[in-house]
Amino acid sequence: MISQILNIYIDRRDFFIDLTIQHLEISMTAIIIAAVLGLILGVIISEYEKSSSFVLGVVNFIYTIPSISLLGILIPFSGIGNSTAIIALTIYGLLPIVRSTYTGIKNINPIIIEAAEGMGSTRFQILYKIKLPLAVPVIMSGLRNMVVMTIALAGIASFIGAGGLGVAIYRGITTNNEAMTMAGSILIAVVALIFDTILGIIEKSLDKKGNKKYKVKRKIIYTISSILILAIMITSVLNIKSEKNTIKIATKPMTEQYIIGEMMSSLIENKTDLNVELTQGFGGGTSNIQPAMEKEEFDIYPEYTGTAWNNVLKKKGIYNESMFLQLQDAYNKDYKFKWIGMYGFNNTYGLAIRKEIADKYNIKTYSDLAKYSNNLVFGAEYDFYEREDGFNDLSKAYGLKFKKNVELDIGLKYKAIKNKDIDVMNIFTTDGQLNTSNIVVLKDDKNFYPSYMCGNVVRKEIIENHPEIKEVLLELNNKIDNKEMSKLNYEVEVEGKEPKVVANEFLTERGLLK
Amino acid sequence: MISQILNIYIDRRDFFIDLTIQHLEISMTAIIIAAVLGLILGVIISEYEKSSSFVLGVVNFIYTIPSISLLGILIPFSGIGNSTAIIALTIYGLLPIVRSTYTGIKNINPIIIEAAEGMGSTRFQILYKIKLPLAVPVIMSGLRNMVVMTIALAGIASFIGAGGLGVAIYRGITTNNEAMTMAGSILIAVVALIFDTILGIIEKSLDKKGNKKYKVKRKIIYTISSILILAIMITSVLNIKSEKNTIKIATKPMTEQYIIGEMMSSLIENKTDLNVELTQGFGGGTSNIQPAMEKEEFDIYPEYTGTAWNNVLKKKGIYNESMFLQLQDAYNKDYKFKWIGMYGFNNTYGLAIRKEIADKYNIKTYSDLAKYSNNLVFGAEYDFYEREDGFNDLSKAYGLKFKKNVELDIGLKYKAIKNKDIDVMNIFTTDGQLNTSNIVVLKDDKNFYPSYMCGNVVRKEIIENHPEIKEVLLELNNKIDNKEMSKLNYEVEVEGKEPKVVANEFLTERGLLK
Amino acid sequence: MSDNTIIEMRNINKTYDNKVIINDLNLNINKGEFITVIGSSGCGKTTVLKMINGLNTPDRGEIFINGENIKNENIIELRRKIGYSIQGTSLFPHMTIEKNISYVPNLINKKDKDEVKKSVSKLIKVVGLEESILNRYPEQLSGGQQQRVGIARALAAQPDILLMDEPFGAVDEITRKQLQDEIVRIHKELEVTIIFITHDIKEALKLGTRVLVMDKGEIVQFNKPEVIKKHPANDFVRELVL
Amino acid sequence: MSDNTIIEMRNINKTYDNKVIINDLNLNINKGEFITVIGSSGCGKTTVLKMINGLNTPDRGEIFINGENIKNENIIELRRKIGYSIQGTSLFPHMTIEKNISYVPNLINKKDKDEVKKSVSKLIKVVGLEESILNRYPEQLSGGQQQRVGIARALAAQPDILLMDEPFGAVDEITRKQLQDEIVRIHKELEVTIIFITHDIKEALKLGTRVLVMDKGEIVQFNKPEVIKKHPANDFVRELVL
Ligand SMILES: Nc1ncnc2c1ncn2[C@@H]1O[C@H](COP(=O)(O)OP(=O)(O)OP(=O)(O)O)[C@@H](O)[C@H]1O
Ligand SMILES: Nc1ncnc2c1ncn2[C@@H]1O[C@H](COP(=O)(O)OP(=O)(O)OP(=O)(O)O)[C@@H](O)[C@H]1O
Ligand SMILES: [Mg+2]
Ligand SMILES: [Mg+2]
């Protein structure tokens, strides 16, 4: 086991170094903020005793929020990534520091405070000349707990794409790679112990009896920790700076978006001087990416027109492509976003039928289907029957009435139709499995379903600063139809190729990349 | 949202009451143990200063172990359920309490300690007459933090079947039921706040200036908390008592075991006066159930002979059924467990081939396959190629040499063979999908793979106390062959039926249940 | 109340746990007086002293300093003009002796650090200690040394009023005589008003321009030393001056 | 060293921060003596006193009690037979006055609680306080009251040796006289050996069977009060007894 862990460290040195740096950045920032905030809160409740039970109650309460819920609550406000992770960690860090500050101050011999009062100290002077220095041991005890806790807890940053050593731990857990989990855990422990030791030395050097030996040590420690903090800050600043020429692309957690994301990324990096930071499969899709775009955390992401119409612009009614100008106007006005580069495929809901039957009855459209539906078995997942615009409305619109309606797990639908257990089923029009299955996608001849053409939403500012991007994005305009997309999806989903590989093969094939 | 949560509380009152009681039991026990242990450790390191950095380092270190890993580490030792949850929570609870005890004691005015020394107090007398009382405010501050933390963290108990309000939270999260998550979180917060308030009042009443008003309050609080603790202990004891006539059955996380578990449970409850406590899909399978059986936490579980031979008895070599007597003897001797009721199916590794090809070449056994293998495409998941007793050994044993070896995701294998992408693949002999696919399972004519006949491992004591169980278990003897098992698996896995339904249908069909 | 009055206490009452500690006390102290206070242990001397700088508030009655009711005054400003040498010693344990002595000057934010330093050096000599102890912490001093640092700290404020609660209780006779001389000199030079609690009747009579004799929370006699000596108000005072 | 010797200190040296505090001190105290110690503030009196009950250890030299080197003794047992009244006051802040006084009897685990209670009642009267304060906490007492509780606490052990570090420094003259009489009575009645540090030369001469005069960490004179008065060893002693 140990040798396995060591091997992992050696093999994946850069990976772990990166994670450790991220971990440090996040946890240190949270620790500093929580320490300052906690100190202030602790001081306030020790000075205004009446507020103490309320503040401590609130701090207790927020501590009890499960981390997953807390992250969920925070994402709408602070987006994803570091800031949310830092806020969450800060919130959790408050409890130990607030209470220890409060206890430390309350625990001071009142005679000493009376002496300071009698000498005409203001409240503030008593606080910072007497109370805080004398409360140091207790405050430090809370701080040291908080530091260890925060560093340990910073593993949750990985849940929301903020990186850190949690990435190694949870990757290890999900892929059953125990050595990886251990490797992450051990690094966290080591980081925690190092910081605790540093704090221990700082604490000793703050001790009033501090003799000369410690004064030297203290200087060293201060220097080291200042350098560390500075280094972290500079890295953060550099990170921000280096982002100036970086285009941040997000994609939703869908195979086709992974592929498109890789295409864009390859093209931009090949044809411009810009760097691309690609965040694949961003959790929550539109509802989390859109706010992140507004916060300028992302610059480009592939979206679907129908989704944009209903979910982003929150318009009622069914979208069709004759409304594209309206859509663009609204984006322009409401968000300063542009739609640039429509890929050409329409990933909407659809119905598919076994080719055999389609051929037999010559069924091409939903209306054709309606004529023969009472001979056919329909299959769909539970959701589809339940959804408002699902099965019922569709049946009404076209007068469908199947012989039997089967409820199926979404993963088993294609299997079922191949087994002839069902004849017709609902699909998405770019499903990879459509590619090989012996099935036909029917035409929604009454436009029951909205159109979901895929295109890039781009922040205007980006186009203004980097006009070359527009050209690059337009290179993919109308290059991928439903069939093509379905094929590419198949390559990833069924053949198990990497999205990047599929994307690059496609680009090369089409002569877009050499 | 609020009304939703209130509704949940009203609708599922008993559910939440149960969870809250479990939560209280677990967290209170952990809190009490951590408080006592932490206090002792804190005292030790304040008295033997040299040990402090070591002990605090260890406490810090174990705090940084992610909860999932810690639970994983503990299960082999303390089984599942309450004890492991309590141990984990205790371990996490140590940090705040150890450090605050240490700080509280170190922070006492040395003049007062010198006075006590000068009066001829022993070290122990100084500790409990002077140091501990004077350290109370700081210790209480750590204790209160620890209580809130432990109650919040006790949500993890749900990971290992120990119940508690975490069940509501994680059920809410996985089923996207926000109200449920909130309902759980709020109850945790309320419990935490109540306990913190109680501790606050106790702390005030411990204050030396304690006037009469508080003395009355203190009595009330002590009474209430004693009653609470007593109540919790009594419930725990009662829980144990009520288990006397309960047979505890565990199953591994596999579809067929779910089904078998339900069968046993139905039969026992129908044909005897005993109750069954069925723990389905116990995490970790054999490696966690076996120790739990030894600890008498479970009474019965279905096991496979080959697994028993290699993994439980840790014998080398390949098991075949001629060794069953040996197996039984070893179980009898080493564990006082019996094998009672062999179901009749053998869930071992196997090779399957497309019927078409099998018919064409008349392939029935692995040896037959070897003759034609250079015309065929073989598919298996990555693992199979990597495993020691996997592809290489098999190929050598039979002289297999395929035209092509494809690496496939385990979930896509059956799809691939149906698509004729592959001709031969590895399988498990009771796979549900074998039931419908147009494929044939070949015979392992050289007995390359061990035999994995399924039967029940039962604690002897149970049979002695309840001989009627033996009869019931034997009713299923040889009732399910591979085909039958595969069919039942299919009903659950592909048709989406509940294991309980499948089990009962089977039993009724066979006339074992009316 | 004359124009010259610096401290006036009117109808002061103080009760602890239903026990009357100070009973209807009235007191007038003039600018520049050196009042020595003497009385039995626990009779309420410290309580009265602390009322003057507001560390203790009477249950009833008013206190005026320079004619202003201290209730309406900025108590912080007031206290900075009142030096206070505390009974026993409450030096700040986390500060060096130097920091302890310069505590009030630093509060007032005297920018001239050199000046503060110089005055600390002067003060430490005034109380008969060596400059070498300036870098030590209180716990490294003997009881009498700590007490003298407390006096230096009170003097450092260059106060208008000096409250001294048994300031020389823990020093030897020889040092005590020196300290007495110093305090008399300071009193004259700076024209500061001093209230000085002591258990040494000789000291009280020697130093005080007037002597306040207290018993059981009441003023038994408040007069010039000569008068006290010659005409003790009652048996308690008579026994004291014996 | 006679058979009667109870405390013997041999060639004691103590240095703090390279500063010699006690320099080659030798001392013999007989059973039943009442030694009063007097000397300038910071000369090392408390340091020497604390060496006797092992709170302070000399850098060099040996200390014998009843002929046994305290290094080899059970220091806990020893301390229980030595009453110690501390300079300043360090009462236990979290205990009532009653608990403070009965601290040592409770340590020794006297089962008879009534007896302990009775002796506490007696002791509190010995030091001139009322029984009503027994339920109070130290911070609710005046400085002098606290000091007297400290004396009562030291007496409660019924010790063979009583170390008293400026025990009467914070009480008024009248109470002081009472306390002096009490301590003399106790000394005679219980035949306890007392070492008593004071800054009051009159007190030292009045109480001591022998007076130990210290200066700068050395013994200047150690003799009967009459001798000290009549034949002061040097100018320092002369000035003291003036
Ligand atoms: N921890 C320490 N570090 C350095 N010097 C110390 C320490 N403790 C005491 N001293 C010094 O040792 C000397 C003797 O101290 P000690 O307390 O014995 O004096 P003392 O005779 O009792 O004086 P006083 O009458 O003022 O109580 C003093 O000068 C003091 O400053
Ligand atoms: N917090 C308190 N609670 C109850 N009684 C108190 C409190 N503080 C002081 N007292 C009582 O008030 C009385 C006056 O106390 P004060 O400290 O003023 O006495 P003092 O004259 O300064 O005595 P000493 O000479 O001993 O210092 C004492 O009897 C004391 O017991
Ligand atoms: Mg007083
Ligand atoms: Mg001393």
Side-chain angles (χ1 to χ4, degrees), chain C residues 143, chain D residues 46 87 165-166:
Chain D
T46 301
Q87 184 175 23
D165 200 345
E166 305 187 27

Side-chain angles (χ1 to χ4, degrees), chain B residues 431-444:
Chain B
D431 278 356
Q433 306 205 55
L434 287 174
N435 192 53
T436 51
S437 309
N438 228 358
I439 50 185
V440 176
V441 180
L442 299 177
K443 196 171 150 45
D444 179 10

Side-chain angles (χ1 to χ4, degrees), chain C residues 70-138:
Chain C
I70 63 166
K71 272 189 209 160
N72 313 322
E73 286 279 282
N74 178 340
I75 193 73
I76 309 269
E77 282 305 315
L78 194 71
R79 283 172 179 164
R80 289 190 181 165
K81 286 183 207 133
I82 302 178
Y84 178 34
S85 140
I86 297 157
Q87 184 175 22
T89 30
S90 336
L91 299 182
F92 301 126
H94 59 299
M95 295 181 182
T96 59
I97 301 307
E98 175 164 11
K99 288 265 171 64
N100 261 287
I101 296 177
S102 57
Y103 182 79
V104 185
N106 282 338
L107 280 190
I108 304 169
N109 225 337
K110 282 216 176 149
K111 274 144 222 154
D112 196 342
K113 283 201 179 170
D114 276 354
E115 200 189 315
V116 172
K117 208 153 194 165
K118 229 186 277 167
S119 91
V120 168
S121 305
K122 219 180 75 190
L123 281 168
I124 200 78
K125 276 172 222 145
V126 164
V127 296
L129 292 171
E130 289 168 22
E131 272 192 70
S132 66
I133 69 157
L134 282 178
N135 288 324
R136 289 207 218 155
Y137 286 90

Side-chain angles (χ1 to χ4, degrees), chain C residues 17 19 21 38-43 45-46 87 129-130 132-133 136 140 142-145 148 166 169-178 199-202 236 239-240 242, chain D residues 17 19 21 38-43 45-46 87 129-130 132-133 136 140 142-145 148 166 169-178 199-202 236 239-240 242:
Chain C
D17 301 335
K19 227 188 108 190
I21 302 296
I38 197 160
S40 50
S41 166
C43 73
K45 305 178 295 295
T46 301
Q87 184 175 22
L129 292 171
E130 289 168 22
S132 66
I133 69 157
R136 289 207 218 155
Q140 295 171 318
S142 80
Q145 289 168 336
R148 284 179 278 163
E166 304 187 27
V171 295
D172 62 290
E173 304 256 335
I174 295 167
T175 311
R176 189 167 193 144
K177 273 175 205 154
Q178 290 166 2
H199 283 309
D200 185 342
I201 183 71
K202 275 195 296 179
F236 178 78
E239 197 180 342
L240 261 184
L242 262 185
Chain D
D17 301 334
K19 226 188 109 193
I21 301 298
I38 197 158
S40 50
S41 166
C43 72
K45 304 178 294 297
T46 301
Q87 184 175 23
L129 293 171
E130 290 167 22
S132 66
I133 69 158
R136 289 208 218 154
Q140 295 170 318
S142 81
Q145 290 168 336
R148 285 179 278 162
E166 305 187 27
V171 295
D172 60 292
E173 305 256 335
I174 295 166
T175 311
R176 189 168 192 143
K177 273 173 205 155
Q178 291 165 2
H199 282 311
D200 186 343
I201 182 71
K202 275 195 297 177
F236 178 77
E239 198 179 341
L240 260 184
L242 262 186

Side-chain angles (χ1 to χ4, degrees), chain A residues 111-123 125-126 129-131 133-134 207-210, chain C residues 50 53 55 75-76 79-80 82 84 86 90-95 103-104 106-108 137 139 153:
Chain A
I111 293 172
I112 289 169
I113 295 175
E114 196 186 59
E117 265 179 59
M119 242 125 259
S121 324
T122 62
R123 200 160 178 171
Q125 286 167 333
I126 293 180
K129 281 176 179 262
I130 309 292
K131 287 180 174 177
L134 287 175
D207 191 356
K208 62 185 163 63
K209 285 163 216 152
Chain C
K50 280 188 183 173
N53 67 0
L55 286 180
I75 193 73
I76 309 269
R79 283 172 179 164
R80 289 190 181 165
I82 302 178
Y84 178 34
I86 297 157
S90 336
L91 299 182
F92 301 126
H94 59 299
M95 295 181 182
Y103 182 79
V104 185
N106 282 338
L107 280 190
I108 304 169
Y137 286 90
E139 56 170 14
R153 184 173 65 175

Side-chain angles (χ1 to χ4, degrees), chain D residues 32-44:
Chain D
E33 278 198 287
F34 193 138
I35 308 291
T36 52
V37 183
I38 197 158
S40 50
S41 166
C43 72

